[in-house]
Amino acid sequence: MNSKRIVVNGHLVPPGGLSNIYAPSKMYKEDGSEVNTADMVEALYGAFIVSKNAGVDAKLTGSDAADAQSSGLIPGMGFNGTTYDRWRNNAEGTLLVPAVRSTNTTSPLQTNHNAKGVMLHVNITAAPNSASTLIIWIRAIDPVANSGNFGVMATLITAAGSTLQSGTIQRIVLYPGASASPAIANFLLVSAPLPRRWDCYVNHNGTGNWEYSVGYSLIL
Amino acid sequence: MLTVTAVETALSYILTVTDGTKEQTYQYEWGKEPPEGQTLTEYLQSCKREAELLARWEIDQKAAPTPIQI
């Protein structure tokens, strides 16, 4: 039996503490031993899982499975409607690696856990000609239609010869309240939130080889 | 040597890239609707290529630091 599960009047200590539970003069763990101060501190502020199902109590470490847990964590887990995910800090990653591409390209689907917005970093290192353009889409995935085509949120046209030049890292910021004024060079700002599922779609307008990468920074 | 396998779910295509030399896997998920102007086959081939590129990128990022002259 795990000694760190704390029961008060037959109820597990819930996420957030004891404020809604009648506090008796003594409290006991499931093994029958009395709760001490260290147990309370760990229960209220430490990071271990409390579950109505037996056998789940454990401290979380960096190597543990992060998401889709069947039980909540104190603190730092968010309920996604089905399971619990880790609460994230600002995070970053790669959508499309640096490579030569000649056709429309879609990034893998991304899951936004708790960020409000995102900054895309579009680094174009080679363009086929000055007439061709790339259109960068941040697509919100519609949970009903399960498609991004109905949820286009931001577009950027960039090409050699256009306002945003090839050879410079372009940034697209999608964040509630983001303002395009005053203008920032090589930034496109759009005021909108980032949904849970999203991806990036690059539309090649014209023929020829482009070389580019797309990275992202999720912003709380 | 990287090998790519794919499965289809109700919501997405899931591509798994296996690094045969280290027996590690990298998994990526794509939406089910091909972009305008692409057939499903072309779309899946594009997804496969991007999955391989991403896996190779992740593998390269894990490489041990190399000493440099300063």
Side-chain angles (χ1 to χ4, degrees), chain A residues 94-111 139 141 143 145-150 197 199 201 203, chain B residues 9-13 27-38 42-43 46-47 49-51 53-58 61:
Chain A
T94 306
L95 293 169
L96 299 170
V97 306
V100 174
R101 298 178 178 88
S102 59
T103 59
N104 299 344
T105 304
T106 309
S107 81
L109 288 174
Q110 306 295 315
T111 301
R139 303 192 306 179
I141 303 302
N146 193 38
S147 164
N149 287 6
F150 307 108
R197 288 201 304 153
D199 69 9
Y201 168 54
N203 178 245
Chain B
T9 72
L11 298 176
S12 61
Y13 298 110
Q27 199 167 73
Y28 309 99
E29 184 179 15
W30 265 268
K32 295 197 74 171
E33 187 165 333
E36 190 177 318
Q38 274 188 347
E42 290 170 339
Y43 174 56
S46 173
C47 295
R49 176 173 185 259
E50 293 299 328
L53 288 169
L54 280 164
R56 176 58 58 197
W57 180 262
E58 286 195 53
Q61 298 296 309

Side-chain angles (χ1 to χ4, degrees), chain B:
Chain B
M1 177 66 180
L2 299 179
T3 57
V4 184
T5 58
V7 295
E8 178 182 9
T9 72
L11 298 176
S12 61
Y13 298 110
I14 299 172
L15 276 67
T16 302
V17 183
T18 303
D19 177 2
T21 58
K22 297 182 178 176
E23 296 183 349
Q24 289 185 312
T25 60
Y26 303 86
Q27 199 167 73
Y28 309 99
E29 184 179 15
W30 265 268
K32 295 197 74 171
E33 187 165 333
E36 190 177 318
Q38 274 188 347
T39 66
L40 180 60
T41 302
E42 290 170 339
Y43 174 56
L44 290 174
Q45 285 300 312
S46 173
C47 295
K48 179 183 177 184
R49 176 173 185 259
E50 293 299 328
E52 287 176 321
L53 288 169
L54 280 164
R56 176 58 58 197
W57 180 262
E58 286 195 53
I59 292 166
D60 292 344
Q61 298 296 309
K62 291 177 183 175
T66 54
I68 58 171
Q69 293 292 331
I70 54 174

Side-chain angles (χ1 to χ4, degrees), chain A residues 50-137:
Chain A
V50 174
S51 169
K52 286 193 285 189
N53 301 316
V56 186
D57 295 353
K59 284 185 178 178
L60 194 71
T61 68
S63 59
D64 288 336
D67 300 320
Q69 301 294 312
S70 60
S71 56
L73 182 72
I74 306 172
M77 298 290 273
F79 188 57
N80 63 28
T82 306
T83 56
Y84 291 86
D85 297 332
R86 275 186 179 174
W87 204 252
R88 260 68 168 181
N89 203 334
N90 288 339
E92 59 189 18
T94 306
L95 293 169
L96 299 170
V97 306
V100 174
R101 298 178 178 88
S102 59
T103 59
N104 299 344
T105 304
T106 309
S107 81
L109 288 174
Q110 306 295 315
T111 301
N112 168 35
H113 294 90
N114 52 267
K116 288 182 180 174
V118 66
M119 176 186 291
L120 293 194
H121 311 265
V122 183
N123 187 6
I124 301 169
T125 50
N129 53 63
S130 61
S132 296
T133 61
L134 286 184
I135 305 176
I136 315 294
W137 308 64

Side-chain angles (χ1 to χ4, degrees), chain A residues 157-178:
Chain A
I157 300 175
T158 176
S162 71
T163 305
L164 299 172
Q165 298 290 323
S166 170
T168 305
I169 296 178
Q170 319 292 336
R171 291 187 170 84
I172 308 170
V173 177
L174 185 79
Y175 198 88

